[in-house]
Amino acid sequence: MIAFFVAVSSNAQHYQQGIDKNSIVTFKKVMQALLSDTKMFTQGIILEDFSLVESAAQGIINHPKPAMS
């Protein structure tokens, strides 16, 4: 169980670093980042790490908008 959460956390950080809010992003990249934030949010709730919950919630709220193309 702990290994799962460590893997989820590293994946979430990877996707967060891959999205630059000033660049044009695809819908797929936005959805991958939202998935990562959702996983971090769930992890924070399970581990009662409310700073992680807050950080993930901010990522969900302030996600970049996909390009219109």
Side-chain angles (χ1 to χ4, degrees):
M1 189 71 141
I2 293 172
F4 170 75
F5 287 120
V6 169
V8 168
S9 178
S10 66
N11 258 353
Q13 290 172 356
H14 170 72
Y15 283 118
Q16 283 292 354
Q17 293 170 356
I19 292 185
D20 178 15
K21 293 194 183 228
N22 294 326
S23 68
I24 297 174
V25 295
T26 64
F27 183 71
K28 181 178 179 178
K29 287 183 181 180
V30 171
M31 295 307 294
Q32 287 174 334
L34 286 171
L35 176 62
S36 296
D37 286 332
T38 303
K39 288 177 181 177
M40 282 192 337
F41 187 85
T42 304
Q43 178 183 3
I45 290 172
I46 291 170
L47 298 176
E48 298 181 5
D49 181 352
F50 298 110
S51 63
L52 184 61
V53 171
E54 181 181 4
S55 174
Q58 288 299 320
I60 292 169
I61 292 169
N62 299 318
H63 72 276
K65 306 300 181 231
M68 295 301 290
S69 55

